[in-house]
Amino acid sequence: MLSTTSPGSVLDTRVENGGIAPLASATNVPGPALHGQKGTQNPPSSRPKTDESPSLWPPISRLDEDVFAIIASNLLQRRPNGSLAQLSLCCRRLRQLSMPLLFSRCTVFVGSMPPTPPAAIREYVRHLTYVWYWRRITDQFGAELPYLPGLQSVAFDSPADGVPWSAIKLCQSYANIKIILFNPSARFIHLAPYPQDVSSTVLTFEVLSYPSFLKIPLPGTFGVKPTTRNKLRALESACLYPLVLGMHETARSLTLPLETAPISGMADVDWPCLQTLELGGSAPSDADQVIPAYLPSMLRRMRSLRHFALKAALPRSTTHRYWILGSQSSPDLELRDLRTLVLSHPEPDDSIFSMRMPNLVHLSLRDWPRHYDYVALSYYHVDHRSPLLSATEMLSILNRLHVPELRTFELVYHADEADDDLLRLVVEAFPKLRHLEIHRYRQTRHSSVDYGHIARILSSVKSLATLRLHLDFEDDPGAYAYDNDVRAPEVWLPKLVERGWHILELLDACPVLESIALLFSASDPPSTWVWFHRSWLATRKPVHDFSPGNWDSLPRPIPKIRGRNVSL
């Protein structure tokens, strides 16, 4: 039995014995038998026939394919666990149009289903996730692969000891598989290290994603042998080294943990096709020496790089922020094709900010993890530090930047005497800016926030469409207020809403502004944005969306705090 998933979540659709079992129980549905039984067909007069003219079909059967694609996309975004499956039951033509979407992503629950996928869905499967439920990967892995000619992506989930080299080589033997994904539960725990002879390890994968953690989690599942973080870190480094370097000729996208990524080896080979590089998690303890020594050489060999993100925490063993290219410019390094740059805790004197980046459209100079999480939780600040840029340091960066095409900008800093100059420069320096996000922390705990003054400065950004603000209000109870007062968020939220509408009114001079958002950092799930839409100014009804797409930070890796969601 093969379970199907739509993008991002699991459908209740099941495929058994060559038949398709839709989400809703239904009779009179044309097509394959349901649950392995004979289906009851519609009367001929009510079912669109393949030999009939489309003009004789019922109206919904004549739906234009482009219109259907828009409808299906919205259904998958709004309710990915069933709406499209229900729509596909309407008639044969909608079923045929839905099939590539319904069965593009499938899951194999190893040990609980036969290895042969149903013939009806084989041509549609593009992404396959293997779930082991903490079983070990055996030689029987991959029995489904020969039956899926269009398969492009394989993801690993919950293998007991990790993903062995034999599984990687088996995926490599199928030329159509170009994407390898490790889910957070699929880490290297108890395995023989991958072969270290990179010269004999040639892989043709184009996309590799391996999970990043602030701290490498220890396995806690029953039946898994105990180990230590140092052993896990060493094994992860040993396995990632040949896996990453083996695909240097074909790799287009790499998502890796900075702590164990083979930075030194990556600096010794060319990456002719690499367009996206994301480094996350936490830096190694010797980051002060390793990052400046290898990162400039590595970036110099990535001539096609379009998107670069370094979003990693700084351990307390470090004394500097992140140096990307060092203090001296590299004459043989160009970043003219770079379109996205995300840097956590950058050194303000880094020469990367003096380089011309004429095609850069998205820039984020931020913290990681979020500074308000760092302040509130010992989980973050015991082993890591959060050296925010000051307004003066941020101003020195922006004064050197040449990014005429910038459309989206995020900046995180703490206020000082250069605060107004910084905001005015943001207004003047980026004439095409459409989306702005500011996290501004007060200079001292006793400082107040003149949000009206800030809004009046920002009202001069004529191209701005959306604005997100976290202004660290002095009367904000802050994240995790449930610990002390369960009613604190309910008391604070009306004040935040009142200020949101006031800020929106002060930004009336922005001709194309659509909406602003203020961070509500006392909610559970994590901090979310409260939106104030210009078109709703008369009704004064904000939008507080608790969905993951509106979270400002990742879910906390600690037990949830007592309390309830605050709704509007």
Side-chain angles (χ1 to χ4, degrees):
M1 184 173 68
L2 190 64
S3 173
T4 67
T5 61
S6 63
S9 66
V10 177
L11 284 173
D12 284 335
T13 309
R14 292 291 187 269
V15 181
E16 308 181 37
N17 304 325
I20 302 174
L23 175 71
S25 59
T27 58
N28 301 328
V29 179
L34 306 183
H35 300 286
Q37 300 174 355
K38 293 183 178 180
T40 303
Q41 296 184 339
N42 287 335
S45 60
S46 64
R47 186 179 74 249
K49 297 179 180 179
T50 56
D51 57 347
E52 287 180 340
S53 168
S55 63
L56 301 178
W57 294 357
I60 196 169
S61 299
R62 297 198 299 270
L63 193 66
D64 183 80
E65 292 188 13
D66 292 335
V67 175
F68 175 80
I70 296 173
I71 294 174
S73 175
N74 278 276
L75 288 177
L76 291 172
Q77 291 177 6
R78 294 176 180 270
R79 191 184 169 209
N81 62 337
S83 295
L84 182 59
Q86 292 174 336
L87 178 64
S88 70
L89 302 179
C90 293
C91 64
R92 184 183 298 275
R93 183 165 183 268
L94 291 188
R95 184 64 170 178
Q96 292 171 344
L97 293 175
S98 302
M99 289 284 281
L101 296 172
L102 287 174
F103 298 103
S104 65
R105 307 176 70 87
C106 294
T107 298
V108 175
F109 296 98
V110 179
S112 63
M113 56 183 62
T116 305
I121 70 167
R122 293 176 186 175
E123 62 179 299
Y124 304 119
V125 180
R126 298 292 181 267
H127 173 87
L128 197 61
T129 299
Y130 284 94
V131 180
W132 277 271
Y133 290 126
W134 307 110
R135 297 181 177 91
R136 289 173 175 80
I137 298 180
T138 64
D139 294 339
Q140 285 73 38
F141 162 73
E144 301 82 5
L145 300 181
Y147 300 96
L148 306 174
L151 185 65
Q152 300 171 356
S153 169
V154 171
F156 300 98
D157 194 335
S158 307
D161 292 337
V163 181
W165 180 246
S166 59
I168 299 295
K169 292 298 290 183
L170 180 62
C171 293
Q172 165 66 25
S173 66
Y174 291 90
N176 51 301
I177 298 178
K178 298 297 183 183
I179 302 174
I180 297 295
L181 308 174
F182 291 77
N183 289 352
S185 58
R187 299 174 297 110
F188 304 113
I189 300 176
H190 293 290
L191 290 173
Y194 287 3
Q196 299 298 296
D197 185 5
V198 177
S199 60
S200 63
T201 306
V202 178
L203 303 174
T204 57
F205 303 126
E206 296 180 0
V207 178
L208 173 65
S209 178
Y210 190 85
S212 300
F213 299 94
L214 202 63
K215 298 178 184 177
I216 295 179
L218 293 171
T221 305
F222 178 77
V224 177
K225 293 183 294 184
T227 185
T228 65
R229 281 196 173 90
N230 286 335
K231 290 181 179 179
L232 290 175
R233 193 177 294 114
L235 178 60
E236 190 169 284
S237 298
C239 291
L240 285 177
Y241 187 87
L243 179 58
V244 173
L245 297 186
M247 52 187 291
H248 74 95
E249 291 285 352
T250 57
R252 292 187 297 106
S253 175
L254 294 175
T255 302
L256 302 169
L258 178 61
E259 189 173 19
T260 54
I263 301 295
S264 60
M266 295 173 70
D268 292 333
V269 295
D270 291 327
W271 301 83
C273 303
L274 191 65
Q275 298 183 13
T276 300
L277 176 62
E278 298 181 6
L279 301 172
S282 177
S285 57
D286 56 351
D288 286 344
Q289 294 77 39
V290 172
I291 304 300
Y294 296 110
L295 203 58
S297 300
M298 185 181 71
L299 293 177
R300 194 176 293 115
R301 290 177 173 270
M302 299 174 178
R303 299 291 183 176
S304 300
L305 197 62
R306 302 288 188 273
H307 311 280
F308 176 60
L310 193 157
K311 196 165 64 172
L314 281 169
R316 288 200 171 274
S317 59
T318 60
T319 57
H320 301 291
R321 298 186 180 102
Y322 284 114
W323 286 103
I324 309 304
L325 299 181
S327 58
Q328 302 297 323
S329 60
S330 304
D332 59 338
L333 176 60
E334 294 185 352
L335 297 175
R336 292 184 174 273
D337 294 328
L338 198 65
R339 297 182 61 83
T340 300
L341 180 62
V342 178
L343 299 176
S344 62
H345 306 298
E347 277 287 354
D349 296 329
D350 198 301
S351 61
I352 192 172
F353 301 118
S354 300
M355 300 190 67
R356 293 177 62 86
M357 293 178 276
N359 294 305
L360 194 74
V361 296
H362 174 78
L363 175 64
S364 175
L365 305 176
R366 56 164 300 159
D367 48 354
W368 186 260
R370 283 301 191 195
H371 187 70
Y372 56 79
D373 280 335
Y374 169 83
V375 171
L377 295 173
S378 61
Y379 176 87
Y380 295 111
H381 62 242
V382 166
D383 298 318
H384 297 86
R385 59 193 188 96
S386 181
L388 290 180
L389 291 170
S390 66
T392 300
E393 292 172 320
M394 187 69 75
L395 182 64
S396 71
I397 291 176
L398 300 194
N399 275 324
R400 292 150 51 209
L401 275 177
H402 180 76
V403 285
E405 297 298 321
L406 193 67
R407 303 293 201 278
T408 305
F409 185 27
E410 177 189 8
L411 63 161
V412 180
Y413 67 96
H414 68 78
D416 63 13
E417 62 277 1
D419 194 39
D420 285 0
D421 292 336
L422 172 62
L423 294 175
R424 292 191 181 97
L425 184 60
V426 170
V427 169
E428 299 167 0
F430 311 117
K432 298 183 180 181
L433 191 65
R434 296 281 294 169
H435 309 284
L436 177 63
E437 180 173 335
I438 296 177
H439 293 251
R440 175 193 179 274
Y441 290 88
R442 290 170 292 149
Q443 190 168 12
T444 68
R445 291 179 58 88
H446 304 290
S447 304
S448 60
V449 179
D450 189 352
Y451 64 88
H453 177 68
I454 294 172
R456 281 186 281 270
I457 295 178
L458 296 177
S459 65
S460 300
V461 186
K462 302 304 181 184
S463 59
L464 199 62
T466 62
L467 172 65
R468 301 207 296 193
L469 294 173
H470 172 219
L471 298 180
D472 188 29
F473 290 111
E474 66 274 10
D475 50 348
D476 186 344
Y480 323 110
Y482 286 118
D483 279 354
N484 302 317
D485 182 1
V486 74
R487 289 190 53 82
E490 295 182 357
V491 174
W492 163 240
L493 186 57
K495 298 179 183 178
L496 184 73
V497 169
E498 181 181 355
R499 292 174 191 180
W501 291 120
H502 187 201
I503 291 173
L504 187 61
E505 291 170 346
L506 294 174
L507 293 170
D508 187 61
C510 298
V512 296
L513 185 68
E514 299 171 1
S515 56
I516 70 165
L518 297 182
L519 190 68
F520 182 52
S521 58
S523 57
D524 185 22
S527 301
T528 54
W529 295 99
V530 180
W531 286 93
F532 305 86
H533 295 284
R534 201 173 202 169
S535 58
W536 290 11
L537 186 58
T539 63
R540 289 186 173 262
K541 288 187 176 181
V543 176
H544 197 175
D545 180 7
F546 286 99
S547 65
N550 198 45
W551 292 353
D552 176 63
S553 57
L554 296 175
R556 299 179 294 274
I558 58 174
K560 289 185 177 180
I561 297 169
R562 300 185 307 274
R564 57 192 183 280
N565 290 342
V566 179
S567 58
L568 298 175

